[in-house]
Structures are given as structure tokens and as C-alpha cells.
Amino acid sequence: MSKRDNGAGSVFQRADSGKWFAAFTDPITGKRRTVTVKSEKAGRDMLRAMSTRADRGEIVLDARTPLAQYVEAWAAGRACKRRRPATVGEYRWRLDKYVLPVLGRKRLGDVSVVEVEDLLDSLAERGLSGETLKGVRNALAAVFTDAARARHLRATANPARLAVMPDVAPSTPVVPPTSSQVRNLLQATAGTELGRVLAVLVGTGARIGEVLAAKWSDIDMEAGIWTVSATMTRDADLRIVVGARTKTGRTRAVILGPATLAVLTEQRREAARLRLASIHWEDNDLVFPSVIGTAQDARNLRRDLRPIADRVGFAGSFHQLRHFVAAVALSQTGGNDVAVARMLGHARTETTRNVYGHLTGEDAVLISEAIEKHLAG
């Protein structure tokens, strides 16, 4: 026996068991949900409640829904109501990478504080930083917060918020690469797109996401100034896009030296060549576009960097070049962390002082002298 409730779903009874079931398709995700109910009337009541949620644009699923399925519906609907797409994208990426492989099959309402703490402990044992762990907990907490607002959970039922963060060993002091390591890396990649990206990183101290998000309209080649106003991020569908702001939300001006300007001039010629060679081109004004003009994923460049870095003895990453620039800048400014914080785009000078404060001594002076000799050569 099967009866439909105004086309919103169906209530049916199985002949073999005599049990009643209600089935409903979530319009956001297209997922079919079937639940056991006590009677035909209970099934009809449930369908009407689900239909009302759907009409309000809310997630149809409830506390009995597996967490992975709930996250999918949440990211497509409620998550974007009060958050920027880039924020939702970051949350979704963290959930997909760290949370759902472990807790994805658990029912939303069954996830406990202990299970969240065990998850965070396991991530800490894998060597993830305290900041990464906080990001994972915040992403999961956002899901439970919205679930409580939609009355899918009790208002106090947020196991992520209640979870105690694990003790994470303090980060080891930053050790920037040496002048010779950076020089070898630049020489090994000279004349390539990767080499030009590296040269801009070394010349400005910018983050890799900021370099890949740079547009020609942000750069005044005559004045030698780059207005850093955005970074690469992910949208709600996890696609790489140019964000509307930097990591800290602040815009800053970066001075471009002659060597960096020369590299950018070369890159402008290369970007024009790519545009002419492409059958399909999306004009996004990017300084470092893909072969069709779209935003690039930094992970692809990291993959290209790794074998070259290993070959020339550069034991680092794109971010290590930022450490290198910070060390030089602190040496040249006499340890002026305010000026260096502005250049690096740190929201607080405490960040610059805490991360790089130990570099203001003899080591930084030696690095600075080595760089000057390299540039003079």
C-alpha cells in the first residue's frame, strides 16, 4: 500500500513486515530519504514537516541523517545564508579532507564530544598544526550550529564547540633557507612560469595565493607598486577562484624592485602569448593565468616545484621564501617588526614578532649580506 502526500513524497506499508515508511526527496541534494514511522498518520505528518522545510529553503534531512549526507545538503543550502562562498568552500574542504572520512557515516545526532576529540587527537598525531586543528573544529561546529538553528538538533548539542583541543607541541622556530639555496632555486627555474612565480615571491614576500590572484590592474609598472587585495580561495563548490579579499582582509601596497619588474614584464609577454594560442580564453586579467585564462591551483605549481627543489637542495616550499624575505627585511630595518608586518600583510605585529623575532640577530645579518652579494653578482 502506498499513498502520496500532495506529491511531496510517499507513505507506504511493506506487506512482508507490516511496517510503515515515509519517503521524501530532498530538493537541495536530490537524495531520497526513507524512514520508518509508527503509522500512516505519523508518516503523513512527517512528509508535511519535510515539505515545509523544503519550502523555506531549509535542509529536509534531520538528526538521523548520516553526517556526510547532511554536510552535502548543508553546503548547498543553509551554509551560504550567512557566510561568504569562500568561507563555505574552506569549511567544505576541511570537512571532506579530515572529518567525513572518519565520522561521515555517523548519524548527525549521534556524533559525540568524545568522538570529535578523538578525531582531533588523531589529526594532531599526524602532525597537523594547532591552527589546522582549530580550522577543522570550526568547520564542524558551523554544521552543528546551523543544524540547531534549523531545529534538527537541540540548541546545546554542538559536540565540536564542547570538544577540548589537544595539546599540540609548539611550532619549531622558523629557519629560513639560505641565500645560496634560494639562488640555486631561481637559477634552476629561470625562464619558466614557475621561475617567474618564485621570483615574485622572493621579490615581494607575498603569499603564493596572493601572487596567483594578482591582476594586471593591481600593478602599476611605472610606479613599481603592486596593490595586494586578494588571494586564491575556494568557492562553495570547492572550485579555485580569486577571492574578494586577502587572508587578513586588508589591502596593502608592495614596492616592486627592478628585478621583479623585469620578471613581470617577461610574464606579461608570456600571458599575451598564451591568450593568442588559446582556442578558448577567459579574460580574468590574471598575471599568472592558466592556459585558458582561468585561476590556477597552487597545488599544481607545488607539484612542479618539488622535484626541482630536491635536485638543487632547496628543502622548503613557497612559504619558505616568505620566511627568507622576512629575515632579510628584519635585518635591513633593524628589527622593525611594524614595517615588516606591513610588507608581509600580517594583521598584527605580534605575528611578525612571534614568528620571526629570533631572526633579528647575527643569522639574519649574515643572510642579508649573502643576498646583497648575490644581487650584486
Side-chain angles (χ1 to χ4, degrees):
M1 182 186 299
S2 178
K3 296 184 180 181
R4 294 191 175 276
D5 190 69
N6 297 326
S10 62
V11 179
F12 59 93
Q13 185 181 36
R14 286 184 176 160
D16 56 348
S17 64
K19 292 182 179 180
W20 284 92
F21 297 86
F24 192 94
T25 300
D26 190 327
I28 296 178
T29 64
K31 297 288 186 181
R32 184 76 169 171
R33 173 108 167 109
T34 302
V35 296
T36 305
V37 292
K38 293 182 179 180
S39 64
E40 179 184 355
K41 180 181 182 302
R44 285 175 171 275
D45 290 343
M46 177 173 287
L47 291 184
R48 279 192 287 272
M50 288 180 172
S51 181
T52 299
R53 290 181 190 172
D55 290 341
R56 292 199 300 253
E58 296 180 354
I59 299 170
V60 172
L61 311 180
D62 56 26
R64 291 167 292 185
T65 306
L67 180 62
Q69 189 173 337
Y70 194 92
V71 166
E72 182 180 356
W74 170 80
R78 175 58 58 181
C80 295
K81 296 291 185 181
R82 297 291 185 273
R83 301 178 183 89
R84 295 182 300 112
T87 301
V88 177
E90 288 297 321
Y91 281 171
R92 181 68 189 276
W93 184 83
R94 292 168 187 164
L95 292 167
D96 286 349
K97 184 173 179 65
Y98 299 118
V99 178
L100 298 184
V102 179
L103 300 177
R105 294 185 178 181
K106 293 282 296 185
R107 289 181 175 184
L108 174 72
D110 291 343
V111 178
S112 68
V113 176
V114 172
E115 287 173 322
V116 175
E117 290 180 345
D118 286 346
L119 169 66
L120 295 173
D121 287 343
S122 67
L123 295 177
E125 291 172 359
R126 287 166 50 183
L128 272 65
S129 68
E131 286 300 313
T132 299
L133 296 180
K134 288 179 183 177
V136 171
R137 186 178 68 168
N138 289 343
L140 188 55
V143 175
F144 285 107
T145 295
D146 284 356
R149 287 174 178 166
R151 297 185 180 180
H152 301 155
L153 293 174
R154 290 180 294 106
T156 57
N158 194 325
R161 289 289 180 216
L162 296 173
V164 177
M165 293 291 294
D167 290 330
V168 179
S171 302
T172 57
V174 171
V175 179
T178 65
S179 157
S180 60
Q181 289 174 329
V182 174
R183 182 175 64 248
N184 291 342
L185 183 65
L186 292 176
Q187 289 176 346
T189 57
T192 67
E193 179 191 54
L194 176 60
R196 291 187 288 274
V197 169
L198 293 172
V200 174
L201 289 172
V202 173
T204 64
R207 302 175 177 91
I208 181 61
E210 293 170 341
V211 172
L212 294 182
K215 297 185 177 183
W216 291 112
S217 57
D218 300 329
I219 299 176
D220 187 334
M221 296 289 283
E222 292 187 5
I225 297 176
W226 170 26
T227 302
V228 183
S229 60
T231 189
M232 284 301 182
T233 186
R234 297 178 185 274
D235 63 13
D237 296 321
L238 302 184
R239 295 172 300 191
I240 295 295
V241 295
V242 177
R245 46 178 294 214
T246 62
K247 180 179 179 181
T248 61
R250 298 181 180 182
T251 298
R252 70 185 187 278
V254 175
I255 302 300
L256 302 172
T260 306
L261 286 170
V263 167
L264 288 172
T265 299
E266 181 183 347
Q267 176 58 24
R268 185 155 57 181
R269 289 195 297 266
E270 176 60 18
R273 187 193 66 78
L274 285 176
R275 180 172 183 172
L276 291 174
S278 177
I279 298 175
H280 171 72
W281 181 264
E282 294 184 22
D283 191 1
N284 294 295
D285 194 37
L286 293 171
V287 176
F288 291 99
S290 71
V291 293
I292 60 171
T294 54
Q296 289 203 69
D297 190 338
R299 291 179 299 182
N300 295 333
L301 289 175
R302 288 191 181 96
R303 186 174 59 244
D304 296 338
L305 171 66
R306 187 72 275 148
I308 300 174
D310 291 342
R311 188 171 69 249
V312 301
F314 178 81
S317 62
F318 290 131
H319 206 71
Q320 283 290 94
L321 297 176
R322 185 168 160 86
H323 296 330
F324 176 74
V325 174
V328 176
L330 285 168
S331 173
Q332 292 179 335
T333 61
N336 186 345
D337 50 12
V338 174
V340 176
R342 289 174 180 170
M343 179 194 69
L344 296 177
H346 285 158
R348 300 177 300 169
T349 56
E350 287 82 358
T351 301
T352 309
R353 189 177 304 118
N354 293 339
V355 177
Y356 301 110
H358 67 289
L359 297 177
T360 56
E362 183 178 359
D363 288 343
V365 174
L366 293 174
I367 291 173
S368 177
E369 291 175 350
I371 293 174
E372 289 178 359
K373 292 179 180 179
H374 165 63
L375 295 178

